[in-house]
Amino acid sequence: MFNFLVFLSLLAVGFVFGRLNEAKHFRALLKRERELAHIIVTNTKHIPDGMRSCEFVSGNMVVSVDYFKRIIAGLRGLVGGRINSYTSLVERARREAVVRMKLEAAAQGMTHISNLRIETASVFQNAKTGIGSIEAYAYGTALK
Amino acid sequence: MRDIEITNLETIPGRTITQHLGMVQGNTVRAKHVGRDIMAGFKNIVGGELRGYTELLTESREESVKRMVEEAHALGANAILNVRFSTSSVSAGASELYVYGTAVVVS
């Protein structure tokens, strides 16, 4: 009975804080993406005319899923289908990584980023619980 | 050390490649540590960014890049082109960061 109560409270805490956290992060992302919209990012190797110098830039973020989402995803694993909670998790990490990369470019006065690559990996998998975190890493060449 | 130009493009704007010196690479395997794990355990309930891990991976990547740059230096290169990163989980709690590229001389 006690275990069940702990489980329920973890579920509730995960649901409330996870949701608030995510909404806050998405709002912040939108704002920062608008601020950095002047940097043109492409994933082609084309170098626009008039570029004089280049610099390697990158950004990353490790994100963890909350308890509620993990349980939902676990249930989803029984019947199969789309796991929306994880979709938004990976999206958050990727967008944040790109924003951080752009910030690095902006700090050096760069105007373009060419050959953007985004890599996602599950890192530091815990042997006992099998729970890992997701890392998104974005990198490219900033030009001006 | 930082006089080597690193890019993931195949050319450097305004410069020409005079000599190809072959592939250079660097890697690091890093394990997380317990202190960071406690904080991560908490974050596993409420979700969100694991700042300690983000920094850890950034540091490890910098180390890999440093190794790659050292190798390029030894070859006498002044730029590394077409740089790629890859991350893999090699064992429970440890990750490998690998970086590779082509060392060249540009003028």
Side-chain angles (χ1 to χ4, degrees):
Chain A
M1 187 60 201
F2 176 72
N3 279 346
F4 187 65
L5 281 178
V6 169
F7 170 75
L8 275 187
S9 54
L10 281 180
L11 211 58
V13 166
F15 181 73
V16 173
F17 285 94
R19 213 149 237 243
L20 288 176
N21 251 332
E22 188 168 282
K24 200 174 127 204
H25 190 204
F26 272 125
R27 274 198 305 276
L29 272 177
L30 208 60
K31 188 170 156 273
R32 289 157 79 203
E33 275 169 356
R34 284 204 186 114
E35 283 166 9
L36 291 164
H38 63 280
I39 297 179
I40 298 154
V41 183
T42 64
N43 64 344
T44 61
K45 289 184 178 171
H46 173 68
I47 301 171
D49 292 334
M51 294 297 145
R52 299 179 313 277
S53 66
C54 71
E55 190 68 49
F56 182 82
V57 287
S58 64
N60 72 334
M61 184 200 194
V62 179
V63 78
S64 167
V65 69
D66 64 59
Y67 197 80
F68 178 76
K69 284 188 170 186
R70 188 173 304 127
I71 298 297
I72 294 297
L75 292 177
R76 189 43 104 179
L78 297 176
V79 293
R82 187 171 60 193
I83 307 177
N84 277 328
S85 56
Y86 279 18
T87 310
S88 71
L89 185 79
V90 186
E91 186 194 340
R92 273 170 77 185
R94 254 188 219 127
R95 281 169 68 182
E96 180 71 33
V98 171
V99 164
R100 285 180 188 174
M101 178 193 70
K102 281 176 135 189
L103 276 176
E104 201 183 313
Q108 298 174 55
M110 301 298 193
T111 54
H112 292 73
I113 296 175
S114 251
N115 204 7
L116 165 76
R117 292 287 139 102
I118 301 177
E119 186 184 303
T120 321
S122 170
V123 290
F124 302 126
Q125 200 89 27
N126 189 315
K128 264 180 287 176
T129 55
I131 296 159
S133 324
I134 292 163
E135 194 216 14
Y137 180 59
Y139 60 102
T141 303
L143 300 156
K144 73 175 173 189
Chain B
M1 223 44 197
R2 262 314 264 155
D3 56 323
I4 284 204
E5 288 222 53
I6 297 173
T7 168
N8 66 345
L9 296 174
E10 281 156 9
T11 50
I12 291 181
R15 312 255 226 131
T16 48
I17 300 164
T18 54
Q19 201 185 346
H20 280 270
L21 297 167
M23 197 183 96
V24 285
Q25 57 184 13
N27 73 334
T28 353
V29 180
R30 273 292 185 94
K32 56 186 179 173
H33 74 74
V34 182
R36 276 170 169 160
D37 216 22
I38 292 166
M39 194 55 203
F42 171 69
K43 276 285 164 106
N44 276 332
I45 296 166
V46 297
E49 176 171 15
L50 301 171
R51 229 168 264 280
Y53 287 5
T54 305
E55 281 159 22
L56 185 72
L57 286 167
T58 306
E59 283 163 23
S60 316
R61 260 195 204 101
E62 275 164 11
E63 203 178 312
S64 309
V65 170
K66 216 180 105 208
R67 287 184 184 166
M68 179 179 74
V69 168
E70 273 165 13
E71 206 178 310
H73 248 286
L75 289 171
N78 64 0
I80 305 171
L81 303 181
N82 220 352
V83 169
R84 293 284 140 89
F85 284 87
S86 93
T87 316
S88 48
S89 208
V90 285
S91 74
S95 287
E96 192 213 19
L97 293 315
Y98 179 58
V99 57
Y100 56 104
T102 306
V104 293
V105 178
V106 292
S107 59

